[in-house]
Amino acid sequence: MGIAPDRIRVLPTDAAGRIDPVGVSAAIIADRSEGCTPTVVCANAGTAAAGAVDPLPELAEVCAAEGVWFHIDAAYGGFAVLAPRGAVALEGIERADSLNIDPHKWLFQLYEAGCILVRDAGTLEHAFSIGHDVLQDAVWGTRHANPADRGIQLSRSFRALKVWMSIQAFGMAAFRAAIDNGLDLAERAAEYVRDSSTLELVSASLSIVCFRINPGDLSEDALTDVNREALARILWGERAFLTSTMVNGQFVLRLCIINRNSTWDDARETLQAVERYAAEAIE
Ligand SMILES: *Cc1c(COP(=O)(O)O)cnc(C)c1O
């Protein structure tokens, strides 16, 4: 967006990966006292690593009180609002001035269909509309916006068509059920990990469960090695596509369940495969 890195404040998060609204408020005040003009707070509705959701209602309050734009990165997590428990988890998302959301993630669309929602489309037109002479015949009428006036691209493909078509074909109920299924499987997977004697639950939010093999008597370096090895083994040997990430500086295995075909058997067998490896590694 052309914002220089030294103009961006990255604020600390708690153990669950959530930003502290009081810290945001303090950072805005501190920046103003240094002659800066804070313009936008960017919060997360489901981080890519751990699915962490910032305290959105409190951040909305801070932004409203300070007159700062409130943006939410909902690329992965935003579609959780379509399931009742997801809507509870993302309460406050409706107060964003803008949010980005990826139908190619949790709305099961073909790659890619990144999307931005804004409270007032006029703000986009104000920024992006450039009215070139060669476009003077492109009259769109009063109730038909020209997408070129709302973003950087002029020529663009019709990405919205596939989203619209699939919703027409399958109906929203099917999407709600598929998202609810992902949330359900993640909850069950987190429970499974919590009850396991060899696995440690590191975080669980939306459809992402981060965990690691931890028999309790290994150093952090040894734990990283064991878990790295387990990941390679699952990737090459089992039918699960498991990934890894870092949570609070720890190497963790990351189960992200957003395939509409995933079943509890898939999740359970994946976790059992990790446990099998754990048992061998600990021997
Ligand atoms: C995937 C993701 C992005 C990047 O989105 P692209 O569509 O790949 O550009 C940004 N933020 C979060 C939280 C994501 O999950």
Side-chain angles (χ1 to χ4, degrees):
M1 293 180 68
I3 300 172
D6 71 341
R7 301 286 92 185
I8 297 171
R9 296 261 179 274
V10 178
L11 299 176
T13 51
D14 64 17
R18 293 156 49 96
I19 209 162
D20 171 18
V22 176
V24 173
S25 189
I28 290 172
I29 292 164
D31 281 351
R32 286 214 176 104
S33 74
E34 286 172 27
C36 296
T37 306
T39 49
V40 55
V41 166
C42 183
N44 265 287
T47 58
V53 179
D54 286 319
L56 303 177
E58 290 84 352
L59 289 170
E61 285 300 317
V62 170
C63 290
E66 297 290 349
V68 171
W69 186 274
F70 185 34
H71 179 79
I72 299 179
D73 182 352
Y76 144 72
F79 291 104
V81 296
L82 294 175
R85 60 187 134 173
V88 172
L90 299 189
E91 205 194 314
I93 194 171
E94 71 286 352
R95 297 183 63 182
D97 292 303
S98 58
L99 58 91
N100 59 296
I101 190 159
D102 275 355
H104 59 257
K105 289 181 176 166
W106 214 351
L107 204 67
F108 320 104
Q109 301 295 318
L110 293 181
Y111 195 73
E112 41 77 31
C115 175
I116 183 158
L117 305 182
V118 290
R119 181 167 301 285
D120 171 15
T123 54
L124 293 180
E125 288 167 5
H126 182 66
F128 293 115
S129 183
I130 46 169
H132 192 282
D133 289 348
V134 83
L135 296 174
Q136 65 186 11
D137 303 325
V139 179
W140 292 79
T142 49
R143 288 186 297 122
H144 193 324
N146 183 349
D149 291 334
R150 296 181 171 189
I152 292 170
Q153 277 180 293
L154 176 56
S155 305
R156 61 168 78 208
S157 63
F158 191 2
R159 298 181 186 90
L161 180 62
K162 61 194 170 193
V163 180
W164 183 84
M165 283 286 286
S166 72
I167 289 170
Q168 296 305 310
F170 298 109
M172 281 310 297
F175 285 91
R176 291 179 196 281
I179 290 164
D180 201 49
N181 181 53
L183 290 167
D184 199 41
L185 296 181
E187 269 180 31
R188 290 177 72 176
E191 247 167 66
Y192 185 100
V193 171
R194 215 178 272 122
D195 292 342
S196 166
S197 56
T198 46
L199 305 181
E200 174 196 0
L201 184 66
V202 177
S203 69
S205 183
L206 301 179
S207 74
I208 300 179
V209 180
C210 292
F211 65 102
R212 62 179 186 170
I213 296 171
N214 187 355
D217 53 358
L218 294 178
S219 69
E220 281 297 317
D221 283 350
L223 283 175
T224 298
D225 288 346
V226 167
N227 282 280
R228 224 184 255 290
E229 188 61 36
L231 176 70
R233 221 165 111 147
I234 300 290
L235 276 179
W236 297 111
E238 305 287 339
R239 60 196 188 93
F241 185 74
L242 192 65
T243 61
S244 71
T245 187
M246 303 299 291
V247 173
N248 302 328
Q250 292 174 343
F251 181 95
V252 295
L253 304 174
R254 172 179 175 275
L255 202 60
C256 178
I257 307 175
I258 58 169
N259 188 306
R260 65 184 182 82
N261 293 316
S262 292
T263 64
W264 172 238
D265 281 348
D266 296 326
R268 183 179 44 76
E269 284 167 24
T270 304
L271 295 168
Q272 284 172 340
V274 177
E275 281 182 315
R276 268 199 308 280
Y277 176 74
E280 284 170 34
I282 292 161
E283 261 175 22

